Amino acid sequence: RMALAAHGVHSAAFGVGAAAGSSLGAVGRERPRALQLVRLNERMVEINETEFAIMERKLQEVGAEQVAVVTVMGSFRTGKSFLLDLFLRYLRHEDASGGAAAPSPRPRLAPPPRGSGEAYPLPAWWTAAAEGAKIAGAGQAVGEDGFRFRGGADPCTEGIWAWSEPFVRVLGGRRVALLLLDTQGAWGGDMTREQSATIFGLTALISSRQIYNINMQIEETKVDNMAYMMSIAQQALRKAAENRGGAENLRAEVTRPFQCLDFLVRDWRNFEDEWPLARCREQMNEQLDRFLGPNARTEGSTAEALDSMYGRIGAFFMPHPGRAVEKTTWDGNIANVEEDFVRFVDEYVREVFTDQLAVKTILGGELSPTTFPMVFRQFVTAFRSTAPAAMPFLEAIKTATILTARERALKSYSGKMDDELYGTPQGLDPETLEQLHTRLVQEIRADFDNNVVILGSANDRGNAWRAVEENLQTIWQRYKADNICRLEKALIALVDVSLLGFGFFAVDKASDFACDWWSETCADFSKILFLAYLMILLYVAYKVYLLYNDRGRLSTVTAVLELGKEVLSRSALLGNELCNLHLQDVPASGRRFLKHFVGRAPPASAGGGGGGSIAGGGVHAIQIDALAVGAAPRS
């Protein structure tokens, strides 16, 4: 019953908008496409509810535990969408080759060194026939097969877009849903500084890897473009430090709130033809150090701010893909892309999606498919006016930390409770279950106090714990109710064998009057029936005795009464079927009878199901339901 109820919660929470805006394939399955999650105009930033609902549902459907987000941002017309379509090509090929289920990618034979003069063998993901001879997204009116892009000088992407199908990868033994995001060009076109900061701020907050796409070279202006948003973030964190009683106290908990920033320089012209990749990487690092190295990190500089806000900052440079790609008439034909560009792209995609792929975290708290949409929505709300400010930023971060703390507590409680209850399909003694609940809550409180970061005041932290307690109480009541149900049905697995014994007894007594007094064969058969139902009676009595020793008189009497009710109910159903039985139906009914008593496994809820978790399949949905309490509900 819990599993069915929880399934209803799951459907209600994440089924909204399931069909809205979908593109259906030939067999009725939604066709993957680019979804516009966020719209940006002169006055405000807002969620596109129809498309956002599709992303929420897709995240739940893949069955992942955590989320990783790779975002590409930068100025207009610098090839962001083109790059993301290459990412899609690589990830699709990995999925088709079994990469989604593999804990690590299949090793690739090392290509000839760059500069050796040997021909470069194009990677399989680039030439795979399944991916076609053209790159998806080229010149499309909408993102039907990839992220829309085209050559020329006009901007193409508006707002923030996501690919509708998350890619599942295994990181550290856990299934992770990988999202690809494309953004409207920042610091270019008609966008104001505030709008550009909004794009940069949103992508920094929601990304586990943020790729800043730059044309030609890293310049001081490109780095300084980030100063506005960094000043807002630092101002917010200083405010939080004041609320918590000192910067040193906060520094230990809130170190580098953003995860990874890549400066991806496109159309780099300074790689010599004879240089191997190692020498090219040296030049990349040299260029990065010019603007973000130790000598550039003076007090109050943008370089110093970036270094203090990101866990890792790197750089990767790519040569020009070829002049044909720049033309508005280019149709995406991969044969027009320069070989050297393919070499560098192959190097970069393997770095992004294998070596350095990471789960999205907010101040140490990992985001799941449940909490990521909630957190995303909070951040968009914080930037709604398209003019980021410290207080909305702080509130968004604070809410995100509270959401992740709640989910951490609920998952921990459910996981530990299920582990303790595994192997006890007949339920636990109520007093023992109460003690288990109390101990688990104490453990979770200790973890909350010592290991969980809540960006806010002591009062905020106290309110967050009280919300967690309410959520835990909701789950506890469901565990307790299910345990009572299992205690009542502790003997329900004996229904079939009891019904069989009851049938043997009835046939034996009927034969006493019908044929035992004149037929020796009938009398012998009656003796066999007597032995059969006597053995069944002893078996049932033994099970009742074990339950009495384990649970006491009250639980045993309740379970025996429930067993008796179920046997009588089944007997009535069987009797009704026998009354309506026709002679020609006897063979089929006999086969059904044998299949029922010989081939049917006992129901899991009855205690014969191998000792699964007491909450069954509904725990995840219970967590969703509990997380929704007080967590920025949608109107």
Side-chain angles (χ1 to χ4, degrees):
R1 291 184 301 197
M2 278 187 64
L4 288 173
H7 177 72
V9 172
H10 184 283
S11 300
F14 295 101
V16 179
S22 63
S23 300
L24 297 181
V27 295
R29 180 178 178 273
E30 275 186 289
R31 183 178 181 179
R33 63 186 180 92
L35 303 172
Q36 187 181 29
L37 303 182
V38 176
R39 291 188 288 250
L40 176 66
N41 56 45
E42 294 180 359
R43 296 184 305 276
M44 64 185 301
V45 181
E46 60 181 359
I47 292 283
N48 183 339
E49 295 293 350
T50 301
E51 309 270 79
F52 196 82
I54 296 174
M55 182 203 70
E56 286 186 277
R57 177 170 54 85
K58 292 292 186 180
L59 279 174
Q60 292 298 317
E61 288 176 353
V62 296
E65 299 175 57
Q66 276 80 34
V67 174
V69 185
V70 175
T71 306
V72 179
M73 62 159 293
S75 301
F76 281 122
R77 313 309 307 150
T78 54
K80 302 183 309 301
S81 300
F82 173 62
L83 177 71
L84 277 160
D85 283 317
L86 295 180
F87 287 175
L88 279 177
R89 191 179 184 91
Y90 173 79
L91 292 169
R92 284 166 171 164
H93 176 74
E94 285 294 298
D95 280 359
S97 305
S104 59
R106 298 164 309 289
R108 180 187 177 219
L109 294 176
R114 185 178 185 273
S116 65
E118 299 180 50
Y120 173 71
L122 297 174
W125 67 269
W126 185 267
T127 59
E131 297 303 318
K134 296 183 179 180
I135 297 171
Q140 295 176 3
V142 292
E144 295 175 345
D145 295 307
F147 291 95
R148 178 188 172 212
F149 70 88
R150 63 173 179 264
D154 296 326
C156 192
T157 307
E158 299 173 349
I160 295 179
W161 296 71
W163 191 244
S164 64
E165 296 289 338
F167 294 89
V168 177
R169 292 296 177 266
V170 178
L171 301 179
R174 301 177 301 176
R175 287 170 59 87
V176 176
L178 169 62
L179 283 175
L180 294 182
L181 267 63
D182 188 10
T183 67
Q184 179 169 325
W187 299 298
D190 298 326
M191 294 182 68
T192 65
R193 184 181 71 160
E194 289 76 13
Q195 289 174 321
S196 296
T198 295
I199 288 293
F200 173 67
L202 276 174
T203 53
L205 288 164
I206 63 179
S207 304
S208 51
R209 190 184 191 105
Q210 182 182 12
I211 301 173
Y212 183 13
N213 197 68
I214 299 173
N215 192 39
M216 305 294 284
Q217 61 181 338
I218 300 178
E219 297 174 340
E220 190 170 349
T221 55
K222 298 290 193 304
V223 178
D224 288 343
N225 280 337
M226 302 178 179
Y228 181 65
M229 186 60 215
M230 288 298 99
S231 66
I232 291 172
Q234 288 183 315
Q235 182 183 347
L237 293 178
R238 280 197 298 270
K239 181 68 176 177
E242 293 170 6
N243 291 338
R244 291 187 61 86
E248 288 303 318
N249 184 27
L250 181 66
R251 188 183 299 276
E253 298 179 345
V254 191
T255 302
R256 293 181 166 85
F258 305 140
Q259 288 176 257
C260 176
L261 173 65
D262 273 1
F263 287 92
L264 181 63
V265 178
R266 307 290 292 278
D267 304 344
W268 181 250
R269 302 167 186 256
N270 298 320
F271 292 142
E272 300 294 341
D273 291 341
E274 65 274 10
W275 283 3
L277 274 175
R279 177 66 187 93
C280 295
R281 282 191 174 274
E282 288 178 11
Q283 189 179 67
M284 298 176 198
N285 293 330
E286 291 168 1
Q287 290 294 314
L288 181 65
D289 284 345
R290 285 182 56 193
F291 299 98
L292 295 172
N295 294 331
R297 292 199 294 267
T298 58
E299 185 175 355
S301 67
T302 304
E304 191 271 337
L306 286 173
D307 182 67
S308 67
M309 300 294 281
Y310 280 92
R312 192 190 74 82
I313 299 177
F316 196 90
F317 293 36
M318 291 185 186
H320 198 284
R323 296 304 171 191
V325 177
E326 292 182 330
K327 298 179 180 179
T328 57
T329 56
W330 186 58
D331 60 358
N333 194 328
I334 61 174
N336 301 135
V337 181
E338 294 287 344
E339 184 181 281
D340 204 33
F341 176 82
V342 178
R343 180 194 292 270
F344 279 85
V345 166
D346 182 59
E347 187 81 6
Y348 188 60
V349 294
R350 294 176 188 278
E351 177 183 298
V352 171
F353 298 116
T354 59
D355 303 336
Q356 297 174 6
L357 186 62
V359 171
K360 174 59 189 169
T361 62
I362 298 289
L363 302 184
E366 294 181 341
L367 296 190
S368 72
T370 302
T371 50
F372 176 76
M374 298 178 184
V375 170
F376 195 140
R377 188 179 293 278
Q378 285 293 324
F379 289 150
V380 172
T381 301
F383 290 92
R384 185 174 295 276
S385 67
T386 71
M391 287 311 296
F393 176 87
L394 176 58
E395 287 300 316
I397 289 284
K398 182 175 72 176
T399 302
T401 58
I402 291 173
L403 286 172
T404 55
R406 284 191 197 181
E407 185 176 48
R408 175 186 176 118
L410 300 181
K411 279 188 174 181
S412 176
Y413 177 86
S414 298
K416 291 178 179 179
M417 184 70 84
D418 289 345
D419 289 343
E420 293 284 348
L421 296 175
Y422 185 83
T424 58
Q426 296 179 345
L428 282 178
D429 177 70
E431 184 178 347
T432 304
L433 187 67
E434 186 85 35
Q435 292 172 352
L436 174 61
H437 165 71
T438 302
R439 176 170 62 83
L440 293 182
V441 171
Q442 290 172 348
E443 291 177 4
I444 290 167
R445 178 59 193 264
D447 179 68
F448 183 88
D449 290 340
N450 298 324
N451 302 317
V452 173
V453 175
I454 300 293
L455 192 64
S457 64
N459 186 54
D460 292 328
R461 192 176 187 87
N463 290 336
W465 173 249
R466 282 188 288 275
V468 169
E469 277 189 313
E470 291 177 5
N471 298 156
L472 291 176
Q473 189 65 23
T474 300
I475 300 179
W476 157 241
Q477 292 301 325
R478 297 185 186 185
Y479 273 106
K480 188 163 67 170
D482 189 70
N483 188 64
I484 292 172
C485 180
R486 292 199 173 219
L487 288 173
E488 292 176 352
K489 297 182 179 297
L491 298 175
I492 211 72
L494 302 175
V495 167
D496 289 343
V497 69
S498 299
L499 190 60
L500 190 62
F502 184 75
F504 289 163
F505 174 79
V507 172
D508 178 33
K509 292 308 174 186
S511 71
D512 288 346
F513 294 97
C515 62
D516 282 4
W517 54 277
W518 63 269
S519 171
E520 188 70 24
T521 301
C522 195
D524 291 340
F525 182 66
S526 184
K527 292 176 183 177
I528 295 173
L529 291 176
F530 171 76
L531 290 175
Y533 67 73
L534 179 62
M535 293 297 295
I536 290 174
L537 177 63
L538 292 174
Y539 174 73
V540 172
Y542 174 69
K543 289 292 187 179
V544 171
Y545 172 75
L546 292 179
L547 184 64
Y548 176 79
N549 282 342
D550 187 39
R551 303 287 165 75
R553 180 183 299 175
L554 181 61
S555 295
T556 304
V557 171
T558 302
V560 169
L561 290 175
E562 191 70 24
L563 173 62
K565 285 164 52 180
E566 190 67 24
V567 169
L568 289 175
S569 176
R570 296 273 190 93
S571 299
L573 290 173
L574 184 60
N576 185 58
E577 184 174 343
L578 289 174
C579 290
N580 298 323
L581 187 65
H582 299 288
L583 187 62
Q584 62 268 26
D585 298 330
V586 170
S589 298
R591 286 194 295 271
R592 285 202 306 271
F593 179 85
L594 290 174
K595 182 178 180 181
H596 178 80
F597 285 104
V598 177
R600 191 174 72 89
S605 62
S613 77
I614 205 164
V619 170
H620 182 62
I622 289 171
Q623 293 170 357
I624 294 171
D625 190 18
L627 272 171
V629 179
R634 283 209 308 254
S635 59

